[in-house]
């Protein structure tokens, strides 16, 4: 077992320290990472009240030497790195020696640990950063960390916590991030005493479909290597499956906008789980204390790897980065004063219009969303609720234990949104759906409302429905359709913004163009 040591002053200056624990999911992330770093092959996670009351992670890893127990909660003490060189070849999740220190100072924190070669364990209890007890105790091999009543000693931070469900959804996303990639570990997740997930060791594809059963048979495999590294993983072929994709760099889930943008431009909105493997010296994880951001030694090389990897994918939705530009002059006139020239559609995304000295690039999805939103809101104002229609045949969909729990938790919102349904064992039976929604969109909208943490208000739900009913970026519009959208757009109350606050168009003044090129 590696022993815990303080980092040198020099190294402390070099690490991106200063972690702030903001919510239960941050705690869960750190505890799962520690359990994995300890070489465990079994990890059980118990959450109560969305993690606000309890987060407990139990592993069967190498444990902590009893003489090191008091050090594990000190700041900048770690068993994972000891020299600056280690910082450039990190293979563990942790390296700052900071997580347990931060967590134990804002909770009622206990850690029980027993290495294999000892017959008893030790338990350390700390409350709000204050030492309470350190005792011997019977314990299985491994480590159990209990974090109770997060922020009990910092009421202001506690106030910023969201509802139990929202905090739980954050925890769940964190759990999934790590469960997807660590396939040789048996994970179990419990919420409020109920087992929600039980993931025995398996291969990657199986693990993904265990977590998302609806993707089975609907995944494309990717595996591509170039001189920089390797990219592999799975992409969903199911357009209706709406969840944010996950990108890992050297097994660490990361946020990197530019990579996401590239991925989206090549496979549009589909769900993906992609792994990028690069030599350790190529990647700097030491950018942000939570280590979710990364820097690459050579950005362009990584972008190329991703781009080429995705292009190599033989997919039914392979869409090059071609520039579609159709120009024709078609005059349209709607209302008394509005006369415009419809110039065409660019990149199957923007409707291009000339009107009164300006060229408008109108985002076809955003504008349509605005139109649909206003129509739906108008109906809502008239009736006070979202109208339902009865289905000829019920929609039946099998659900996991986890989804069942979430549905029960969010029943009220789903019903207010125009759905009526029953749960029959592990089947969701939908009987009525919002009147504007077609039958084949119903499930997708239902699950969007279910999984989205912001989906509490009718406004929001209407926004989602409006989004769903609207043309998408990538849809080719006929002249007639484009003109109809423009006509309706002129009739909206707030033509400039979409329901989520995004601008509908960008305009370029022809006068400015003339000035810029020295004419006039
Ligand atoms: N579940 C565990 N099993 C075995 N050892 C553990 C476990 N959790 C923590 N430790 C020990 O306690 C030390 C401190 O943990 P902590 O999470 O605070 O820091 P770290 O993992 O080293 O770095 P980071 O702050 O980046 O997470 C670890 O280096 C490790 O030696
Ligand atoms: Mg750690």
């Amino acid at each position: 077992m590696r022993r815990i040591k303080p980092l040198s002053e020099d190294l402390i200056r070099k690490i991106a320290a200063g972690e702030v624990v903001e919510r239960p999911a941050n705690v869960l992330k750190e505890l799962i990472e520690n359990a994995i770093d300890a070489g465990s092959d079994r990890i059980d996670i118990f959450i109560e009240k969305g993690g606000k009351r309890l987060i407990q992670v139990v592993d069967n890893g190498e444990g902590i030497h009893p003489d090191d127990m008091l050090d594990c909660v000190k700041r900048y003490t770690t068993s994972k790195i000891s020299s600056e060189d280690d910082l450039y070849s990190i293979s563990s999740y942790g390296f700052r020696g900071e997580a347990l220190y931060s967590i134990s100072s804002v909770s009622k924190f206990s850690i029980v640990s027993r290495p294999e070669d000892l017959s008893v364990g030790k338990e350390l209890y700390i409350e709000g950063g204050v030492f309470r007890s350190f005792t011997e105790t019977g314990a299985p091999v491994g480590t159990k960390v209990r974090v109770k009543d997060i922020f009990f000693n910092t009421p202001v931070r506690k106030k910023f916590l969201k509802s139990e469900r929202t905090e739980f959804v954050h925890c769940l996303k964190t759990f999934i991030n790590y469960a997807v990639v660590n396939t040789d570990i048996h994970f179990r997740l419990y919420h409020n005493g109920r087992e929600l997930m039980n993931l025995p060791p398996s291969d990657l594809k199986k693990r993904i479909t265990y977590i998302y059963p609806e993707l089975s048979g609907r995944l494309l495999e990717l595996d591509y290597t170039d001189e920089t590294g390797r990219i592999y993983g799975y992409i969903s072929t199911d357009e209706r499956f709406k969840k944010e994709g996950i990108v890992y760099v050297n097994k660490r889930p990361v946020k990197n906008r530019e990579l996401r943008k590239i991925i989206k431009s090549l496979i549009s909105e589909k769900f993906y789980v992609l792994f990028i493997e690069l030599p350790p010296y190529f990647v700097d994880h030491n950018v942000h204390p939570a280590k979710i951001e990364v820097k690459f030694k050579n950005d362009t090389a990584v972008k190329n790897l991703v781009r080429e990897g995705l292009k190599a994918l033989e997919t039914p939705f392979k869409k090059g980065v071609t520039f579609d530009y159709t120009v024709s002059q078609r005059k349209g006139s709607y209302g008394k004063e509005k006369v415009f020239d419809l110039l065409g559609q660019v990149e199957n995304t923007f409707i291009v219009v000339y009107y009164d000295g300006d060229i408008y690039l109108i985002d076809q999805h955003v504008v349509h969303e605005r139109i649909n939103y206003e129509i739906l809101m108008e109906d809502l104002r008239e009736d006070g609720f979202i109208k339902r229609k009865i289905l000829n045949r019920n929609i039946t969909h099998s659900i996991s234990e986890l989804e069942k729990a979430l549905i029960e938790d969010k029943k009220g919102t789903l019903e207010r949104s125009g759905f009526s349904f029953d749960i029959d064992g592990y089947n969701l039976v939908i009987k009525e759906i919002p009147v504007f929604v077609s039958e084949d969109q119903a499930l997708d909208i239902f699950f969007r409302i279910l999984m989205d943490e912001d989906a509490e208000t009718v406004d929001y739900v209407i926004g989602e429905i409006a989004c769903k009913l609207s043309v998408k970026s990538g849809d080719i519009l006929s002249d007639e359709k484009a003109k109809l959208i423009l006509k309706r757009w002129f009739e909206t109350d707030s033509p400039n913004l979409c329901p989520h606050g995004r601008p509908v168009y960008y305009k370029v003044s022809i006068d400015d163009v003339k000035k810029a090129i020295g004419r006039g």
Side-chain angles (χ1 to χ4, degrees):
M1 178 198 331
R2 297 154 303 172
R3 299 294 300 267
I4 301 181
K5 286 181 289 207
L7 293 170
S8 68
E9 286 296 322
D10 195 34
L11 212 45
I12 292 174
R13 273 193 298 276
K14 292 201 167 83
I15 60 167
E19 167 154 21
V20 187
V21 177
E22 282 174 357
R23 59 173 9 139
N26 305 144
V27 172
L28 181 63
K29 167 182 180 290
E30 297 297 340
L31 300 188
I32 296 180
E33 289 191 349
N34 281 347
I36 299 171
D37 284 346
S40 319
D41 58 21
R42 190 169 192 118
I43 300 178
D44 290 331
I45 294 159
F46 303 85
I47 295 175
E48 283 174 22
K49 294 229 170 280
K52 294 200 268 193
R53 182 191 286 162
L54 175 77
I55 299 165
Q56 174 171 296
V57 175
V58 184
D59 69 52
N60 66 352
E62 63 178 350
I64 302 175
H65 192 285
D67 296 345
D68 288 355
M69 286 280 283
L70 292 173
D71 289 334
C72 74
V73 289
K74 288 190 187 146
R75 196 167 200 182
Y76 309 131
T77 52
T78 179
S79 58
K80 299 175 190 173
I81 61 167
S82 53
S83 68
E84 189 176 342
D85 282 353
D86 296 342
L87 208 49
Y88 304 108
S89 58
I90 292 170
S91 57
S92 53
Y93 285 119
F95 57 82
R96 303 157 311 148
E98 197 180 26
L100 296 189
Y101 160 81
S102 307
I103 296 165
S104 61
S105 56
V106 293
S107 65
K108 297 174 184 164
F109 175 92
S110 106
I111 180 163
V112 179
S113 194
R114 186 192 135 202
E116 201 172 9
D117 52 351
L118 296 178
S119 55
V120 286
K122 286 273 196 178
E123 171 162 19
L124 170 66
Y125 182 58
I126 297 201
E127 226 178 70
V130 180
F131 171 87
R132 293 285 185 215
S133 63
F134 184 45
T135 49
E136 209 158 76
T137 176
V141 172
T143 303
K144 171 168 94 178
V145 180
R146 272 171 83 86
V147 176
K148 280 183 74 179
D149 300 337
I150 183 171
F151 302 147
F152 80 99
N153 57 343
T154 52
V156 177
R157 277 159 89 183
K158 192 168 175 177
K159 244 175 60 187
F160 278 103
L161 291 178
K162 299 274 166 45
S163 70
E164 170 177 341
R165 204 187 57 77
T166 300
E167 294 302 338
F168 180 65
V169 170
H170 282 281
C171 287
L172 187 65
K173 285 185 183 163
T174 301
F175 171 82
I176 289 173
N177 276 348
Y178 288 89
V180 164
V181 59
N182 292 284
T183 50
D184 41 5
I185 299 179
H186 189 157
F187 283 97
R188 284 189 298 187
L189 173 70
Y190 297 81
H191 189 219
N192 296 336
R194 288 211 304 193
E195 182 185 279
L196 295 189
M197 286 209 191
N198 185 346
L199 307 171
S202 60
D203 63 28
L204 180 59
K205 190 172 185 179
K206 263 211 192 119
R207 181 61 58 103
I208 295 174
T209 45
Y210 255 120
I211 296 174
Y212 306 113
E214 55 276 54
L215 285 182
S216 64
R218 296 186 182 149
L219 287 173
L220 286 172
E221 191 168 349
L222 159 82
D223 197 344
Y224 176 85
T225 305
D226 73 3
E227 63 284 358
T228 310
R230 174 179 173 212
I231 178 167
Y232 66 99
Y234 290 93
I235 294 167
S236 154
T237 56
D238 185 348
E239 304 254 358
R240 293 168 314 159
F241 185 76
K242 290 281 183 298
K243 283 197 180 72
E244 211 181 317
I246 321 177
V247 188
Y248 296 84
V249 173
N250 293 355
K251 291 217 166 180
R252 203 187 277 283
V254 297
K255 286 216 163 99
N256 185 304
R257 263 184 194 210
E258 288 189 61
L259 289 186
R260 281 189 185 280
K261 244 168 75 185
I262 294 175
I263 297 169
K264 194 171 164 194
S265 73
L266 292 166
I267 64 169
S268 74
E269 303 272 353
K270 294 175 189 70
F271 173 74
Y272 54 84
V273 178
L274 291 175
F275 298 86
I276 301 171
E277 273 181 10
L278 300 164
Y281 75 89
F282 214 88
V283 189
D284 184 1
H285 290 290
N286 185 26
V287 184
H288 180 272
K291 312 175 191 104
I292 44 173
E293 285 165 32
V294 272
K295 267 202 217 135
F296 303 113
K297 200 171 154 112
N298 179 341
D299 249 358
T300 319
V302 177
K303 286 182 196 160
N304 274 340
L305 169 68
V306 173
R307 209 172 274 127
E308 293 308 313
L310 288 175
K311 278 193 197 160
L313 192 68
E314 270 315 310
T315 78
F317 50 83
K318 187 168 170 183
K319 100 176 198 285
V321 275
T322 53
F323 191 70
D324 273 335
Y325 192 34
T326 45
V327 177
S328 60
Q329 291 269 333
R330 290 159 290 199
K331 268 210 188 306
S333 158
Y334 296 112
K336 281 193 198 76
E337 71 284 17
K338 301 276 189 335
V339 179
F340 61 84
D341 289 335
L342 172 62
L343 301 181
Q345 192 190 12
V346 180
E347 291 198 342
N348 297 336
T349 300
F350 298 103
I351 303 170
V352 189
V353 161
Y354 173 80
Y355 171 65
D356 197 21
D358 293 308
I359 301 271
Y360 288 73
L361 288 145
I362 302 162
D363 186 310
Q364 63 193 42
H365 174 68
V366 176
V367 70
H368 204 198
E369 207 178 6
R370 162 52 63 189
I371 295 165
N372 285 326
Y373 179 79
E374 290 203 5
I375 295 174
L376 296 178
M377 280 307 264
E378 187 58 38
D379 278 2
L380 182 72
R381 265 193 296 277
E382 275 173 17
D383 302 323
F385 56 88
I386 299 185
K387 270 188 273 186
R388 295 175 181 177
K389 63 182 173 201
I390 301 173
L391 294 168
N392 293 332
R393 269 185 41 207
N394 293 343
I395 301 174
T396 307
H397 180 75
S398 69
I399 48 175
S400 61
E401 180 67 37
L402 167 77
E403 286 165 336
K404 203 168 144 175
L406 289 175
I407 292 170
E408 272 161 17
D409 195 43
K410 216 170 181 185
K411 198 162 192 278
T413 308
L414 288 159
E415 287 177 347
R416 279 196 300 282
S417 315
F419 288 95
S420 94
F421 55 93
D422 285 328
I423 291 180
D424 176 14
Y426 287 95
N427 279 323
L428 165 71
V429 183
I430 301 182
K431 297 174 170 161
E432 291 176 319
I433 60 176
V435 74
F436 324 99
V437 171
S438 70
E439 288 192 25
D440 54 343
Q441 293 170 329
L443 263 184
D444 184 33
I445 292 182
F446 185 94
F447 279 94
R448 270 202 199 204
I449 298 169
L450 183 69
M451 294 313 288
D452 201 307
E453 65 224 36
D454 298 323
E456 298 292 354
T457 63
V458 173
D459 245 40
Y460 178 90
V461 171
I462 295 231
E464 282 297 284
I465 297 176
C467 170
K468 194 63 210 168
L469 296 179
S470 304
V471 298
K472 302 272 171 301
S473 157
D475 290 351
I476 298 170
L477 299 184
S478 66
D479 274 17
E480 296 324 306
K481 182 84 183 173
K483 282 185 182 167
L484 188 67
I485 289 176
L486 291 170
K487 171 177 157 43
R488 294 244 171 93
W489 178 44
F490 290 141
E491 294 162 0
T492 55
D493 293 335
S494 315
N496 296 327
L497 296 175
C498 86
H500 306 110
R502 264 166 63 196
V504 168
Y505 59 81
Y506 181 79
K507 89 180 165 182
V508 183
S509 135
I510 295 293
D511 275 347
D512 288 349
V513 175
K514 284 183 183 156
K515 273 187 217 134
I517 59 171
R519 172 190 283 275

